[in-house]
Amino acid sequence: LTFPLLSVTLLVSFGSSMLYGYNLAVVNSPAAHIKAFYNTTWARRYGHGLAPGPLTLFYSLTVSIFALGGLVGSLLVGLLVERYGRNGTLSRSTLLILLAGGFMGFSRELGSPEMVIIGRSITGLHSGRCCLGCRAVHGPFLMARSPAHSQGTGEDFIFPMATGSANLRGFLGLVPSVFICLGVFFAQVLGLPELLGEGRFWPLFLSVVVVPASLQLLLLHCFPESPRYLLIERNDVCGATKALRQFLGTPDVQDVIEEMKEEQRSLSSMEMVSVWQLLRDRSVRWQTLSVVVVNAGMQLSGIDAIWFYTTIIFENTGIPVSQIPYTTVGTGAIEVVMGLIGCFTIEKLGRRPLIITGFCTMGICSAGITVSLLLQTALPWMRYVVAACVVGIIAGFCMGPAGIPFLMTAELFTQSHRPAAYIVGESLNWLCNFTVGFIFPFLQMSAGAFCYLVFCGICLLVALYIYLVIPETKNKTFMEISHIFA
């Protein structure tokens, strides 16, 4: 793993995955200030404030519209990458963040709640483009096997080379999820009262995303385009050779060029499968169902409710308002630590133990929140048990469910089926993200403490499915995995 390869991986994760994590958590701490702004603006326009129900609806839309933008962005990324390449796609997506930052940053000055909602949807569009680009365009390189291990498996290499990267596949495949955790953590730190957590700073807090996006835009042009894209998509042998020499740090790249040419010839005779064909293909029926279960389960596990509404959850438990920002930052720090632990242990422990343990931990902690809230009246110290259960949900998620579903999506399919599988998995991710973000406040109002039992049931059922159906994919080729499914 050379320094240029590691650098471009970190840069892309910094400008895509970290921004995604930041936008997940950025609406958490300023929730009361955003609601107050909506209420004040509505009263100025119509002479009366918003009732609690419509105000909750307005705020839920602000939170969840991010996911609808992400869904649209993920569906467009394939066309953009094919047309503009990796650098071009990320550059155009970064310009969206600058536009979104402008909308959100000036929303209060112009008295327009609509600008906040539009800005959130645009940040979602950017995250949908970049996150799927990072997973589906850079991910296959991170999960690439050495040529000796991958011959005949149809692996989607970005840098096909004999790096022996099979033992790094899981580690590097989870790097984006660590950056998501870092993005959430930075949003929690900036949301402290001493920084941008004051009421007058919330527009700036929402628009801080322009800083890392601008930095990525400037640094991205220091790196060449993906060699695989240059040779296979553009047939630019000279450009691919030059890029490979810079990435690999060696002038002798002829073997890699020949390998990519062989891949180009095999891809030209390969018919790519559409989403409809994937869903109807009985030979990969269980693989497709597994992608559906783990991707939908990842978002329906309750982690989005924790990220979006941590402050509200802690307020309902009776934790003093002055302590909530610091409690939230503590959960974010644990999140980063658990993400790193998952990265460094995935190749030793395997995919199945981490993801099953993660979902089981989340399910048990969700049930723990329900029990703690029910006993809180009699036992006031139960509020701190709720905080511990929230930490347990975050730790369980970052241990495995945060990144392994994306890793599995690539490992369960050949190149002909993989793009359609990514579309299915990513679409479910964003749809379920929207569902949880929009419905959770109303679910909490109607079901009270019992709303967390919904997440408990989903987590335990997904863990049971993985235990019964999905095999260990560590160091296995597609054919080996396919035989196990059969």
PDB file of all heavy atoms in Angstrom, residues 392-421:
ATOM      1  N   GLY A 392     -23.953   1.961  24.039  1.00  0.00           N
ATOM      2  CA  GLY A 392     -23.888   0.578  23.572  1.00  0.00           C
ATOM      3  C   GLY A 392     -24.409   0.421  22.155  1.00  0.00           C
ATOM      4  O   GLY A 392     -23.835  -0.325  21.350  1.00  0.00           O
ATOM      5  N   ILE A 393     -25.485   1.142  21.806  1.00  0.00           N
ATOM      6  CA  ILE A 393     -26.016   1.089  20.437  1.00  0.00           C
ATOM      7  C   ILE A 393     -24.985   1.619  19.450  1.00  0.00           C
ATOM      8  O   ILE A 393     -24.724   1.020  18.401  1.00  0.00           O
ATOM      9  CB  ILE A 393     -27.325   1.893  20.346  1.00  0.00           C
ATOM     10  CG1 ILE A 393     -28.440   1.177  21.119  1.00  0.00           C
ATOM     11  CG2 ILE A 393     -27.749   2.083  18.889  1.00  0.00           C
ATOM     12  CD1 ILE A 393     -29.719   1.975  21.219  1.00  0.00           C
ATOM     13  N   ILE A 394     -24.379   2.751  19.798  1.00  0.00           N
ATOM     14  CA  ILE A 394     -23.373   3.349  18.908  1.00  0.00           C
ATOM     15  C   ILE A 394     -22.154   2.438  18.777  1.00  0.00           C
ATOM     16  O   ILE A 394     -21.639   2.220  17.678  1.00  0.00           O
ATOM     17  CB  ILE A 394     -22.967   4.734  19.441  1.00  0.00           C
ATOM     18  CG1 ILE A 394     -24.146   5.707  19.310  1.00  0.00           C
ATOM     19  CG2 ILE A 394     -21.751   5.271  18.708  1.00  0.00           C
ATOM     20  CD1 ILE A 394     -23.914   7.056  19.949  1.00  0.00           C
ATOM     21  N   ALA A 395     -21.697   1.885  19.901  1.00  0.00           N
ATOM     22  CA  ALA A 395     -20.529   1.003  19.874  1.00  0.00           C
ATOM     23  C   ALA A 395     -20.811  -0.245  19.052  1.00  0.00           C
ATOM     24  O   ALA A 395     -19.983  -0.677  18.234  1.00  0.00           O
ATOM     25  CB  ALA A 395     -20.127   0.628  21.298  1.00  0.00           C
ATOM     26  N   GLY A 396     -21.987  -0.834  19.249  1.00  0.00           N
ATOM     27  CA  GLY A 396     -22.344  -2.024  18.478  1.00  0.00           C
ATOM     28  C   GLY A 396     -22.418  -1.739  17.002  1.00  0.00           C
ATOM     29  O   GLY A 396     -21.975  -2.544  16.163  1.00  0.00           O
ATOM     30  N   PHE A 397     -22.973  -0.584  16.642  1.00  0.00           N
ATOM     31  CA  PHE A 397     -23.094  -0.219  15.230  1.00  0.00           C
ATOM     32  C   PHE A 397     -21.725  -0.023  14.593  1.00  0.00           C
ATOM     33  O   PHE A 397     -21.461  -0.540  13.505  1.00  0.00           O
ATOM     34  CB  PHE A 397     -23.922   1.059  15.105  1.00  0.00           C
ATOM     35  CG  PHE A 397     -24.099   1.527  13.688  1.00  0.00           C
ATOM     36  CD1 PHE A 397     -25.004   0.899  12.838  1.00  0.00           C
ATOM     37  CD2 PHE A 397     -23.364   2.589  13.197  1.00  0.00           C
ATOM     38  CE1 PHE A 397     -25.174   1.324  11.531  1.00  0.00           C
ATOM     39  CE2 PHE A 397     -23.522   3.027  11.887  1.00  0.00           C
ATOM     40  CZ  PHE A 397     -24.430   2.389  11.054  1.00  0.00           C
ATOM     41  N   CYS A 398     -20.854   0.724  15.252  1.00  0.00           N
ATOM     42  CA  CYS A 398     -19.543   1.024  14.669  1.00  0.00           C
ATOM     43  C   CYS A 398     -18.639  -0.200  14.640  1.00  0.00           C
ATOM     44  O   CYS A 398     -17.690  -0.256  13.854  1.00  0.00           O
ATOM     45  CB  CYS A 398     -18.872   2.148  15.452  1.00  0.00           C
ATOM     46  SG  CYS A 398     -19.758   3.702  15.338  1.00  0.00           S
ATOM     47  N   MET A 399     -18.938  -1.180  15.466  1.00  0.00           N
ATOM     48  CA  MET A 399     -18.127  -2.395  15.502  1.00  0.00           C
ATOM     49  C   MET A 399     -18.253  -3.206  14.213  1.00  0.00           C
ATOM     50  O   MET A 399     -17.303  -3.831  13.763  1.00  0.00           O
ATOM     51  CB  MET A 399     -18.575  -3.256  16.685  1.00  0.00           C
ATOM     52  CG  MET A 399     -17.689  -4.455  16.972  1.00  0.00           C
ATOM     53  SD  MET A 399     -18.459  -5.522  18.218  1.00  0.00           S
ATOM     54  CE  MET A 399     -18.792  -4.351  19.529  1.00  0.00           C
ATOM     55  N   GLY A 400     -19.421  -3.194  13.580  1.00  0.00           N
ATOM     56  CA  GLY A 400     -19.611  -4.022  12.395  1.00  0.00           C
ATOM     57  C   GLY A 400     -20.660  -3.526  11.423  1.00  0.00           C
ATOM     58  O   GLY A 400     -20.378  -3.314  10.243  1.00  0.00           O
ATOM     59  N   PRO A 401     -21.920  -3.311  11.864  1.00  0.00           N
ATOM     60  CA  PRO A 401     -22.972  -2.911  10.928  1.00  0.00           C
ATOM     61  C   PRO A 401     -22.702  -1.610  10.190  1.00  0.00           C
ATOM     62  O   PRO A 401     -23.317  -1.353   9.148  1.00  0.00           O
ATOM     63  CB  PRO A 401     -24.198  -2.767  11.854  1.00  0.00           C
ATOM     64  CG  PRO A 401     -23.934  -3.694  12.984  1.00  0.00           C
ATOM     65  CD  PRO A 401     -22.458  -3.624  13.206  1.00  0.00           C
ATOM     66  N   ALA A 402     -21.806  -0.762  10.680  1.00  0.00           N
ATOM     67  CA  ALA A 402     -21.541   0.522  10.019  1.00  0.00           C
ATOM     68  C   ALA A 402     -20.923   0.348   8.642  1.00  0.00           C
ATOM     69  O   ALA A 402     -21.252   1.084   7.709  1.00  0.00           O
ATOM     70  CB  ALA A 402     -20.624   1.378  10.896  1.00  0.00           C
ATOM     71  N   GLY A 403     -20.024  -0.598   8.475  1.00  0.00           N
ATOM     72  CA  GLY A 403     -19.312  -0.696   7.204  1.00  0.00           C
ATOM     73  C   GLY A 403     -19.368  -2.044   6.520  1.00  0.00           C
ATOM     74  O   GLY A 403     -19.215  -2.140   5.302  1.00  0.00           O
ATOM     75  N   ILE A 404     -19.602  -3.109   7.283  1.00  0.00           N
ATOM     76  CA  ILE A 404     -19.552  -4.453   6.702  1.00  0.00           C
ATOM     77  C   ILE A 404     -20.616  -4.693   5.633  1.00  0.00           C
ATOM     78  O   ILE A 404     -20.346  -5.384   4.653  1.00  0.00           O
ATOM     79  CB  ILE A 404     -19.617  -5.515   7.813  1.00  0.00           C
ATOM     80  CG1 ILE A 404     -18.322  -5.455   8.645  1.00  0.00           C
ATOM     81  CG2 ILE A 404     -19.801  -6.911   7.250  1.00  0.00           C
ATOM     82  CD1 ILE A 404     -18.286  -6.411   9.813  1.00  0.00           C
ATOM     83  N   PRO A 405     -21.854  -4.143   5.745  1.00  0.00           N
ATOM     84  CA  PRO A 405     -22.816  -4.349   4.656  1.00  0.00           C
ATOM     85  C   PRO A 405     -22.311  -3.892   3.298  1.00  0.00           C
ATOM     86  O   PRO A 405     -22.563  -4.551   2.283  1.00  0.00           O
ATOM     87  CB  PRO A 405     -24.028  -3.524   5.111  1.00  0.00           C
ATOM     88  CG  PRO A 405     -23.962  -3.582   6.597  1.00  0.00           C
ATOM     89  CD  PRO A 405     -22.498  -3.519   6.913  1.00  0.00           C
ATOM     90  N   PHE A 406     -21.570  -2.770   3.243  1.00  0.00           N
ATOM     91  CA  PHE A 406     -21.033  -2.302   1.969  1.00  0.00           C
ATOM     92  C   PHE A 406     -19.921  -3.230   1.482  1.00  0.00           C
ATOM     93  O   PHE A 406     -19.783  -3.491   0.288  1.00  0.00           O
ATOM     94  CB  PHE A 406     -20.504  -0.878   2.121  1.00  0.00           C
ATOM     95  CG  PHE A 406     -21.509   0.072   2.690  1.00  0.00           C
ATOM     96  CD1 PHE A 406     -21.308   0.675   3.911  1.00  0.00           C
ATOM     97  CD2 PHE A 406     -22.676   0.360   2.004  1.00  0.00           C
ATOM     98  CE1 PHE A 406     -22.237   1.540   4.444  1.00  0.00           C
ATOM     99  CE2 PHE A 406     -23.618   1.220   2.527  1.00  0.00           C
ATOM    100  CZ  PHE A 406     -23.397   1.819   3.746  1.00  0.00           C
ATOM    101  N   LEU A 407     -19.125  -3.711   2.408  1.00  0.00           N
ATOM    102  CA  LEU A 407     -18.061  -4.657   2.070  1.00  0.00           C
ATOM    103  C   LEU A 407     -18.662  -5.945   1.515  1.00  0.00           C
ATOM    104  O   LEU A 407     -18.215  -6.471   0.495  1.00  0.00           O
ATOM    105  CB  LEU A 407     -17.235  -4.937   3.327  1.00  0.00           C
ATOM    106  CG  LEU A 407     -15.917  -5.692   3.191  1.00  0.00           C
ATOM    107  CD1 LEU A 407     -14.959  -4.936   2.316  1.00  0.00           C
ATOM    108  CD2 LEU A 407     -15.319  -5.910   4.571  1.00  0.00           C
ATOM    109  N   MET A 408     -19.707  -6.446   2.167  1.00  0.00           N
ATOM    110  CA  MET A 408     -20.355  -7.684   1.724  1.00  0.00           C
ATOM    111  C   MET A 408     -20.991  -7.531   0.346  1.00  0.00           C
ATOM    112  O   MET A 408     -20.998  -8.472  -0.444  1.00  0.00           O
ATOM    113  CB  MET A 408     -21.427  -8.099   2.734  1.00  0.00           C
ATOM    114  CG  MET A 408     -20.892  -8.780   3.978  1.00  0.00           C
ATOM    115  SD  MET A 408     -22.243  -9.376   5.020  1.00  0.00           S
ATOM    116  CE  MET A 408     -21.336 -10.391   6.186  1.00  0.00           C
ATOM    117  N   THR A 409     -21.539  -6.348   0.056  1.00  0.00           N
ATOM    118  CA  THR A 409     -22.179  -6.133  -1.235  1.00  0.00           C
ATOM    119  C   THR A 409     -21.203  -6.388  -2.370  1.00  0.00           C
ATOM    120  O   THR A 409     -21.563  -6.977  -3.396  1.00  0.00           O
ATOM    121  CB  THR A 409     -22.732  -4.702  -1.328  1.00  0.00           C
ATOM    122  OG1 THR A 409     -23.671  -4.498  -0.275  1.00  0.00           O
ATOM    123  CG2 THR A 409     -23.434  -4.467  -2.660  1.00  0.00           C
ATOM    124  N   ALA A 410     -19.958  -5.960  -2.190  1.00  0.00           N
ATOM    125  CA  ALA A 410     -18.950  -6.201  -3.217  1.00  0.00           C
ATOM    126  C   ALA A 410     -18.492  -7.652  -3.240  1.00  0.00           C
ATOM    127  O   ALA A 410     -18.182  -8.204  -4.285  1.00  0.00           O
ATOM    128  CB  ALA A 410     -17.751  -5.282  -2.996  1.00  0.00           C
ATOM    129  N   GLU A 411     -18.448  -8.287  -2.070  1.00  0.00           N
ATOM    130  CA  GLU A 411     -17.891  -9.636  -1.988  1.00  0.00           C
ATOM    131  C   GLU A 411     -18.875 -10.717  -2.429  1.00  0.00           C
ATOM    132  O   GLU A 411     -18.462 -11.823  -2.767  1.00  0.00           O
ATOM    133  CB  GLU A 411     -17.434  -9.913  -0.556  1.00  0.00           C
ATOM    134  CG  GLU A 411     -16.237  -9.067  -0.144  1.00  0.00           C
ATOM    135  CD  GLU A 411     -15.801  -9.341   1.282  1.00  0.00           C
ATOM    136  OE1 GLU A 411     -16.657  -9.602   2.130  1.00  0.00           O
ATOM    137  OE2 GLU A 411     -14.585  -9.271   1.539  1.00  0.00           O
ATOM    138  N   LEU A 412     -20.174 -10.421  -2.439  1.00  0.00           N
ATOM    139  CA  LEU A 412     -21.166 -11.450  -2.765  1.00  0.00           C
ATOM    140  C   LEU A 412     -21.464 -11.554  -4.253  1.00  0.00           C
ATOM    141  O   LEU A 412     -22.153 -12.484  -4.672  1.00  0.00           O
ATOM    142  CB  LEU A 412     -22.476 -11.172  -2.014  1.00  0.00           C
ATOM    143  CG  LEU A 412     -22.431 -11.230  -0.485  1.00  0.00           C
ATOM    144  CD1 LEU A 412     -23.814 -10.988   0.082  1.00  0.00           C
ATOM    145  CD2 LEU A 412     -21.890 -12.562  -0.001  1.00  0.00           C
ATOM    146  N   PHE A 413     -20.951 -10.606  -5.074  1.00  0.00           N
ATOM    147  CA  PHE A 413     -21.335 -10.573  -6.484  1.00  0.00           C
ATOM    148  C   PHE A 413     -20.125 -10.433  -7.393  1.00  0.00           C
ATOM    149  O   PHE A 413     -19.103  -9.866  -7.006  1.00  0.00           O
ATOM    150  CB  PHE A 413     -22.291  -9.395  -6.751  1.00  0.00           C
ATOM    151  CG  PHE A 413     -23.605  -9.502  -6.038  1.00  0.00           C
ATOM    152  CD1 PHE A 413     -23.784  -8.913  -4.800  1.00  0.00           C
ATOM    153  CD2 PHE A 413     -24.662 -10.198  -6.602  1.00  0.00           C
ATOM    154  CE1 PHE A 413     -24.990  -9.006  -4.124  1.00  0.00           C
ATOM    155  CE2 PHE A 413     -25.869 -10.304  -5.946  1.00  0.00           C
ATOM    156  CZ  PHE A 413     -26.041  -9.706  -4.702  1.00  0.00           C
ATOM    157  N   THR A 414     -20.285 -10.927  -8.617  1.00  0.00           N
ATOM    158  CA  THR A 414     -19.283 -10.690  -9.659  1.00  0.00           C
ATOM    159  C   THR A 414     -19.488  -9.295 -10.214  1.00  0.00           C
ATOM    160  O   THR A 414     -20.483  -8.622  -9.925  1.00  0.00           O
ATOM    161  CB  THR A 414     -19.425 -11.710 -10.799  1.00  0.00           C
ATOM    162  OG1 THR A 414     -20.743 -11.592 -11.356  1.00  0.00           O
ATOM    163  CG2 THR A 414     -19.195 -13.126 -10.323  1.00  0.00           C
ATOM    164  N   GLN A 415     -18.556  -8.865 -11.088  1.00  0.00           N
ATOM    165  CA  GLN A 415     -18.629  -7.521 -11.648  1.00  0.00           C
ATOM    166  C   GLN A 415     -19.909  -7.295 -12.439  1.00  0.00           C
ATOM    167  O   GLN A 415     -20.469  -6.200 -12.423  1.00  0.00           O
ATOM    168  CB  GLN A 415     -17.404  -7.272 -12.550  1.00  0.00           C
ATOM    169  CG  GLN A 415     -17.451  -5.985 -13.353  1.00  0.00           C
ATOM    170  CD  GLN A 415     -17.595  -4.761 -12.479  1.00  0.00           C
ATOM    171  OE1 GLN A 415     -17.276  -4.806 -11.297  1.00  0.00           O
ATOM    172  NE2 GLN A 415     -18.098  -3.678 -13.049  1.00  0.00           N
ATOM    173  N   SER A 416     -20.428  -8.315 -13.099  1.00  0.00           N
ATOM    174  CA  SER A 416     -21.633  -8.135 -13.910  1.00  0.00           C
ATOM    175  C   SER A 416     -22.850  -7.802 -13.054  1.00  0.00           C
ATOM    176  O   SER A 416     -23.762  -7.100 -13.492  1.00  0.00           O
ATOM    177  CB  SER A 416     -21.903  -9.402 -14.728  1.00  0.00           C
ATOM    178  OG  SER A 416     -22.114 -10.518 -13.884  1.00  0.00           O
ATOM    179  N   HIS A 417     -22.883  -8.292 -11.819  1.00  0.00           N
ATOM    180  CA  HIS A 417     -24.027  -8.073 -10.937  1.00  0.00           C
ATOM    181  C   HIS A 417     -23.790  -6.968  -9.910  1.00  0.00           C
ATOM    182  O   HIS A 417     -24.739  -6.459  -9.324  1.00  0.00           O
ATOM    183  CB  HIS A 417     -24.363  -9.364 -10.172  1.00  0.00           C
ATOM    184  CG  HIS A 417     -24.918 -10.458 -11.018  1.00  0.00           C
ATOM    185  ND1 HIS A 417     -24.171 -11.119 -11.974  1.00  0.00           N
ATOM    186  CD2 HIS A 417     -26.162 -11.012 -11.071  1.00  0.00           C
ATOM    187  CE1 HIS A 417     -24.917 -12.039 -12.559  1.00  0.00           C
ATOM    188  NE2 HIS A 417     -26.123 -11.992 -12.033  1.00  0.00           N
ATOM    189  N   ARG A 418     -22.522  -6.600  -9.698  1.00  0.00           N
ATOM    190  CA  ARG A 418     -22.206  -5.727  -8.575  1.00  0.00           C
ATOM    191  C   ARG A 418     -22.811  -4.320  -8.680  1.00  0.00           C
ATOM    192  O   ARG A 418     -23.338  -3.806  -7.686  1.00  0.00           O
ATOM    193  CB  ARG A 418     -20.690  -5.640  -8.410  1.00  0.00           C
ATOM    194  CG  ARG A 418     -20.276  -4.967  -7.103  1.00  0.00           C
ATOM    195  CD  ARG A 418     -18.772  -4.981  -6.922  1.00  0.00           C
ATOM    196  NE  ARG A 418     -18.294  -6.335  -6.741  1.00  0.00           N
ATOM    197  CZ  ARG A 418     -17.261  -6.853  -7.389  1.00  0.00           C
ATOM    198  NH1 ARG A 418     -16.610  -6.125  -8.273  1.00  0.00           N
ATOM    199  NH2 ARG A 418     -16.872  -8.088  -7.168  1.00  0.00           N
ATOM    200  N   PRO A 419     -22.773  -3.647  -9.852  1.00  0.00           N
ATOM    201  CA  PRO A 419     -23.385  -2.303  -9.901  1.00  0.00           C
ATOM    202  C   PRO A 419     -24.859  -2.312  -9.524  1.00  0.00           C
ATOM    203  O   PRO A 419     -25.318  -1.441  -8.773  1.00  0.00           O
ATOM    204  CB  PRO A 419     -23.170  -1.885 -11.363  1.00  0.00           C
ATOM    205  CG  PRO A 419     -21.979  -2.662 -11.822  1.00  0.00           C
ATOM    206  CD  PRO A 419     -22.081  -3.980 -11.117  1.00  0.00           C
ATOM    207  N   ALA A 420     -25.615  -3.304 -10.021  1.00  0.00           N
ATOM    208  CA  ALA A 420     -27.034  -3.385  -9.675  1.00  0.00           C
ATOM    209  C   ALA A 420     -27.213  -3.655  -8.184  1.00  0.00           C
ATOM    210  O   ALA A 420     -28.126  -3.110  -7.550  1.00  0.00           O
ATOM    211  CB  ALA A 420     -27.713  -4.485 -10.501  1.00  0.00           C
ATOM    212  N   ALA A 421     -26.330  -4.480  -7.607  1.00  0.00           N
ATOM    213  CA  ALA A 421     -26.415  -4.769  -6.172  1.00  0.00           C
ATOM    214  C   ALA A 421     -26.144  -3.517  -5.346  1.00  0.00           C
ATOM    215  O   ALA A 421     -26.798  -3.279  -4.320  1.00  0.00           O
ATOM    216  CB  ALA A 421     -25.428  -5.875  -5.806  1.00  0.00           C
TER     217      ALA A 421
END
